[in-house]
mmCIF file of all heavy atoms in Angstrom:
data_model
loop_
_atom_site.group_PDB
_atom_site.id
_atom_site.type_symbol
_atom_site.label_atom_id
_atom_site.label_comp_id
_atom_site.label_asym_id
_atom_site.label_seq_id
_atom_site.Cartn_x
_atom_site.Cartn_y
_atom_site.Cartn_z
ATOM 1 N N VAL P 1 119.344 101.031 106.933
ATOM 2 C CA VAL P 1 118.044 101.532 107.485
ATOM 3 C C VAL P 1 117.353 102.400 106.461
ATOM 4 O O VAL P 1 116.195 102.337 106.279
ATOM 5 C CB VAL P 1 118.368 102.138 108.834
ATOM 6 C CG1 VAL P 1 117.007 102.979 109.324
ATOM 7 C CG2 VAL P 1 118.875 101.336 109.891
ATOM 8 N N PHE P 2 118.182 103.234 105.749
ATOM 9 C CA PHE P 2 117.688 104.145 104.663
ATOM 10 C C PHE P 2 116.916 103.349 103.615
ATOM 11 O O PHE P 2 115.777 103.731 103.244
ATOM 12 C CB PHE P 2 118.746 104.917 104.182
ATOM 13 C CG PHE P 2 118.397 105.804 102.916
ATOM 14 C CD1 PHE P 2 117.570 106.959 103.059
ATOM 15 C CD2 PHE P 2 118.735 105.370 101.715
ATOM 16 C CE1 PHE P 2 117.198 107.668 101.959
ATOM 17 C CE2 PHE P 2 118.391 106.127 100.545
ATOM 18 C CZ PHE P 2 117.604 107.239 100.704
ATOM 19 N N VAL P 3 117.544 102.330 103.128
ATOM 20 C CA VAL P 3 116.986 101.487 102.057
ATOM 21 C C VAL P 3 115.691 100.775 102.616
ATOM 22 O O VAL P 3 114.737 100.743 101.858
ATOM 23 C CB VAL P 3 118.035 100.434 101.533
ATOM 24 C CG1 VAL P 3 117.337 99.441 100.528
ATOM 25 C CG2 VAL P 3 119.123 101.221 100.840
ATOM 26 N N ALA P 4 115.719 100.270 103.786
ATOM 27 C CA ALA P 4 114.661 99.523 104.332
ATOM 28 C C ALA P 4 113.456 100.395 104.526
ATOM 29 O O ALA P 4 112.280 99.955 104.257
ATOM 30 C CB ALA P 4 114.985 98.919 105.684
ATOM 31 N N VAL P 5 113.631 101.654 104.973
ATOM 32 C CA VAL P 5 112.552 102.474 105.362
ATOM 33 C C VAL P 5 112.006 103.187 104.129
ATOM 34 O O VAL P 5 110.806 103.372 103.825
ATOM 35 C CB VAL P 5 112.998 103.575 106.327
ATOM 36 C CG1 VAL P 5 111.923 104.659 106.576
ATOM 37 C CG2 VAL P 5 113.313 102.887 107.667
ATOM 38 N N CYS P 6 112.910 103.671 103.172
ATOM 39 C CA CYS P 6 112.539 104.502 102.018
ATOM 40 C C CYS P 6 112.281 103.732 100.792
ATOM 41 O O CYS P 6 111.522 104.236 99.870
ATOM 42 C CB CYS P 6 113.612 105.514 101.743
ATOM 43 S SG CYS P 6 113.874 106.718 103.143
ATOM 44 N N PHE P 7 112.758 102.444 100.606
ATOM 45 C CA PHE P 7 112.545 101.795 99.299
ATOM 46 C C PHE P 7 111.837 100.456 99.568
ATOM 47 O O PHE P 7 111.387 99.908 98.578
ATOM 48 C CB PHE P 7 113.945 101.588 98.721
ATOM 49 C CG PHE P 7 114.545 102.796 98.108
ATOM 50 C CD1 PHE P 7 115.630 103.494 98.865
ATOM 51 C CD2 PHE P 7 114.172 103.378 96.948
ATOM 52 C CE1 PHE P 7 116.203 104.644 98.370
ATOM 53 C CE2 PHE P 7 114.651 104.577 96.484
ATOM 54 C CZ PHE P 7 115.731 105.137 97.239
ATOM 55 N N LEU P 8 111.915 99.948 100.679
ATOM 56 C CA LEU P 8 111.150 98.605 100.996
ATOM 57 C C LEU P 8 109.690 98.917 101.144
ATOM 58 O O LEU P 8 108.894 97.958 101.061
ATOM 59 C CB LEU P 8 111.719 98.001 102.144
ATOM 60 C CG LEU P 8 111.696 96.364 102.195
ATOM 61 C CD1 LEU P 8 112.468 95.847 100.987
ATOM 62 C CD2 LEU P 8 112.167 95.937 103.544
ATOM 63 N N THR P 9 109.314 100.046 101.296
ATOM 64 C CA THR P 9 107.909 100.548 101.528
ATOM 65 C C THR P 9 107.420 101.245 100.363
ATOM 66 O O THR P 9 108.110 101.498 99.365
ATOM 67 C CB THR P 9 107.821 101.387 102.826
ATOM 68 O OG1 THR P 9 108.544 102.579 102.565
ATOM 69 C CG2 THR P 9 108.295 100.716 103.953
ATOM 70 N N THR P 10 106.014 101.423 100.343
ATOM 71 C CA THR P 10 105.345 102.166 99.294
ATOM 72 C C THR P 10 104.668 103.403 99.933
ATOM 73 O O THR P 10 104.414 103.284 101.165
ATOM 74 C CB THR P 10 104.365 101.282 98.585
ATOM 75 O OG1 THR P 10 103.479 100.754 99.568
ATOM 76 C CG2 THR P 10 105.030 100.165 97.769
ATOM 77 N N PRO P 11 104.371 104.433 99.126
ATOM 78 C CA PRO P 11 103.816 105.658 99.674
ATOM 79 C C PRO P 11 102.461 105.280 100.299
ATOM 80 O O PRO P 11 101.714 104.431 99.878
ATOM 81 C CB PRO P 11 103.668 106.542 98.475
ATOM 82 C CG PRO P 11 104.583 106.030 97.486
ATOM 83 C CD PRO P 11 104.759 104.569 97.694
ATOM 84 N N SER P 12 102.142 106.054 101.410
ATOM 85 C CA SER P 12 100.871 105.754 102.240
ATOM 86 C C SER P 12 99.703 106.515 101.617
ATOM 87 O O SER P 12 98.669 106.580 102.305
ATOM 88 C CB SER P 12 101.199 106.063 103.577
ATOM 89 O OG SER P 12 101.445 107.494 103.747
ATOM 90 N N GLY P 13 99.868 107.254 100.488
ATOM 91 C CA GLY P 13 98.702 107.991 100.013
ATOM 92 C C GLY P 13 97.654 107.104 99.528
ATOM 93 O O GLY P 13 97.828 105.993 99.181
ATOM 94 N N GLU P 14 96.345 107.521 99.534
ATOM 95 C CA GLU P 14 95.277 106.769 99.197
ATOM 96 C C GLU P 14 95.186 106.507 97.729
ATOM 97 O O GLU P 14 95.569 107.342 96.864
ATOM 98 C CB GLU P 14 93.868 107.421 99.662
ATOM 99 C CG GLU P 14 93.717 107.660 101.158
ATOM 100 C CD GLU P 14 92.492 108.226 101.468
ATOM 101 O OE1 GLU P 14 91.717 108.590 100.602
ATOM 102 O OE2 GLU P 14 92.234 108.388 102.702
ATOM 103 N N ALA P 15 94.750 105.376 97.345
ATOM 104 C CA ALA P 15 94.664 105.007 95.990
ATOM 105 C C ALA P 15 93.503 105.755 95.301
ATOM 106 O O ALA P 15 92.549 106.086 95.953
ATOM 107 C CB ALA P 15 94.454 103.500 95.799
ATOM 108 N N PRO P 16 93.584 106.065 94.101
ATOM 109 C CA PRO P 16 92.503 106.772 93.330
ATOM 110 C C PRO P 16 91.270 105.858 93.351
ATOM 111 O O PRO P 16 91.326 104.662 93.497
ATOM 112 C CB PRO P 16 92.958 106.910 91.843
ATOM 113 C CG PRO P 16 94.543 106.708 91.991
ATOM 114 C CD PRO P 16 94.838 105.845 93.185
ATOM 115 N N GLU P 17 90.098 106.618 93.347
ATOM 116 C CA GLU P 17 88.877 105.871 93.408
ATOM 117 C C GLU P 17 88.685 105.032 92.089
ATOM 118 O O GLU P 17 89.096 105.349 90.951
ATOM 119 C CB GLU P 17 87.690 106.830 93.405
ATOM 120 C CG GLU P 17 87.742 107.785 94.664
ATOM 121 C CD GLU P 17 86.582 108.658 94.648
ATOM 122 O OE1 GLU P 17 85.610 108.649 93.681
ATOM 123 O OE2 GLU P 17 86.341 109.517 95.622
ATOM 124 N N GLY P 18 88.152 103.880 92.383
ATOM 125 C CA GLY P 18 87.794 102.942 91.290
ATOM 126 C C GLY P 18 89.046 102.008 91.010
ATOM 127 O O GLY P 18 88.932 101.180 90.063
ATOM 128 N N THR P 19 90.100 102.143 91.774
ATOM 129 C CA THR P 19 91.249 101.288 91.555
ATOM 130 C C THR P 19 91.399 100.360 92.781
ATOM 131 O O THR P 19 91.041 100.661 93.883
ATOM 132 C CB THR P 19 92.528 102.042 91.321
ATOM 133 O OG1 THR P 19 92.805 102.803 92.634
ATOM 134 C CG2 THR P 19 92.346 103.048 90.177
ATOM 135 N N GLU P 20 91.952 99.153 92.564
ATOM 136 C CA GLU P 20 92.269 98.198 93.538
ATOM 137 C C GLU P 20 93.773 97.964 93.621
ATOM 138 O O GLU P 20 94.370 98.064 92.552
ATOM 139 C CB GLU P 20 91.607 96.977 93.197
ATOM 140 C CG GLU P 20 90.007 97.044 93.208
ATOM 141 C CD GLU P 20 89.311 95.688 92.988
ATOM 142 O OE1 GLU P 20 90.038 94.741 92.717
ATOM 143 O OE2 GLU P 20 88.109 95.803 92.968
ATOM 144 N N PRO P 21 94.265 97.644 94.834
ATOM 145 C CA PRO P 21 95.819 97.357 94.874
ATOM 146 C C PRO P 21 96.064 96.110 94.115
ATOM 147 O O PRO P 21 95.167 95.168 94.011
ATOM 148 C CB PRO P 21 95.928 97.108 96.379
ATOM 149 C CG PRO P 21 94.572 96.873 96.962
ATOM 150 C CD PRO P 21 93.588 97.512 96.036
ATOM 151 N N THR P 22 97.275 95.992 93.595
ATOM 152 C CA THR P 22 97.660 94.863 92.752
ATOM 153 C C THR P 22 98.348 93.759 93.521
ATOM 154 O O THR P 22 98.838 92.901 92.913
ATOM 155 C CB THR P 22 98.672 95.387 91.712
ATOM 156 O OG1 THR P 22 99.768 95.949 92.314
ATOM 157 C CG2 THR P 22 98.035 96.379 90.817
ATOM 158 N N VAL P 23 98.387 93.957 94.808
ATOM 159 C CA VAL P 23 98.942 92.828 95.611
ATOM 160 C C VAL P 23 97.913 92.262 96.532
ATOM 161 O O VAL P 23 96.768 92.819 96.718
ATOM 162 C CB VAL P 23 100.149 93.381 96.456
ATOM 163 C CG1 VAL P 23 101.242 93.859 95.597
ATOM 164 C CG2 VAL P 23 99.638 94.573 97.356
ATOM 165 N N ALA P 24 98.194 91.038 97.085
ATOM 166 C CA ALA P 24 97.214 90.404 97.838
ATOM 167 C C ALA P 24 96.759 91.045 99.079
ATOM 168 O O ALA P 24 95.703 91.027 99.523
ATOM 169 C CB ALA P 24 97.740 88.978 98.164
ATOM 170 N N GLU P 25 97.622 91.908 99.711
ATOM 171 C CA GLU P 25 97.315 92.466 101.036
ATOM 172 C C GLU P 25 98.085 93.751 101.155
ATOM 173 O O GLU P 25 99.211 93.853 100.590
ATOM 174 C CB GLU P 25 97.704 91.487 102.098
ATOM 175 C CG GLU P 25 97.449 91.968 103.557
ATOM 176 C CD GLU P 25 97.855 90.937 104.502
ATOM 177 O OE1 GLU P 25 98.244 89.859 104.209
ATOM 178 O OE2 GLU P 25 97.728 91.249 105.772
#
């Protein structure tokens, strides 16, 4: 559960302005 919650996810902070996510969704 620890690995799934803490390492399978990414931080929920907003991305800096002018940048786009590098994944499709």
